[in-house]
Amino acid sequence: MEPKHWYIFAYDITEPKRWRKVYKKLNGYGYRLQYSIFRCRLTVRDMEKMRWELESLLTNEDRLLIIPLCEGCERRIHTCNRPESWTQQPKPFEIA
């Protein structure tokens, strides 16, 4: 069994029809982090297949960025501007 690694896929696509095709392709493989950013856990073989499939959908004016992440890097990714990321920390003391 091949080991799986985390990858961030980010894309900038100018035409809505192509954008939807890329979105649908990535949505089946990973988790959407933002509008055009996905986090996927794939084998190296699956990542290369995904890259090839995505590049066949894109044109020269589109952009695709694939960032490999180690396990430690993936754990240190923080989401902001979400209700769960703004947990209230107890005050260590109060000045009266």
Side-chain angles (χ1 to χ4, degrees):
M1 181 178 210
E2 288 185 72
K4 291 187 175 185
H5 306 281
W6 286 105
Y7 297 92
I8 299 291
F9 288 82
Y11 53 93
D12 184 17
I13 299 174
T14 57
E15 202 270 320
K17 187 175 180 181
R18 284 194 314 274
W19 183 91
R20 280 190 298 280
K21 287 181 181 180
V22 170
Y23 171 84
K24 287 179 181 180
K25 175 69 67 183
L26 282 167
N27 198 39
Y29 282 87
Y31 308 99
R32 186 172 146 199
L33 299 176
Q34 290 186 9
Y35 191 67
S36 295
I37 301 174
F38 279 81
R39 178 180 68 171
C40 302
R41 188 164 173 83
L42 305 168
T43 65
V44 172
R45 185 179 312 200
D46 288 339
M47 190 282 297
E48 286 298 322
K49 179 183 174 199
M50 173 65 72
R51 184 179 65 83
W52 184 84
E53 290 175 1
L54 291 175
E55 286 183 355
S56 70
L57 297 172
L58 303 177
T59 66
N60 287 339
E61 58 197 26
D62 301 325
R63 298 290 176 254
L64 173 65
L65 178 65
I66 303 171
I67 305 168
L69 296 174
C70 68
E71 293 291 327
C73 293
E74 194 280 329
R75 282 192 298 272
R76 289 189 300 270
I77 292 176
H78 299 284
T79 58
C80 297
N81 209 20
R82 302 255 182 214
E84 62 271 13
S85 67
W86 294 95
T87 57
Q88 294 290 329
Q89 298 295 326
K91 294 179 183 178
F93 60 89
E94 273 192 302
I95 299 174

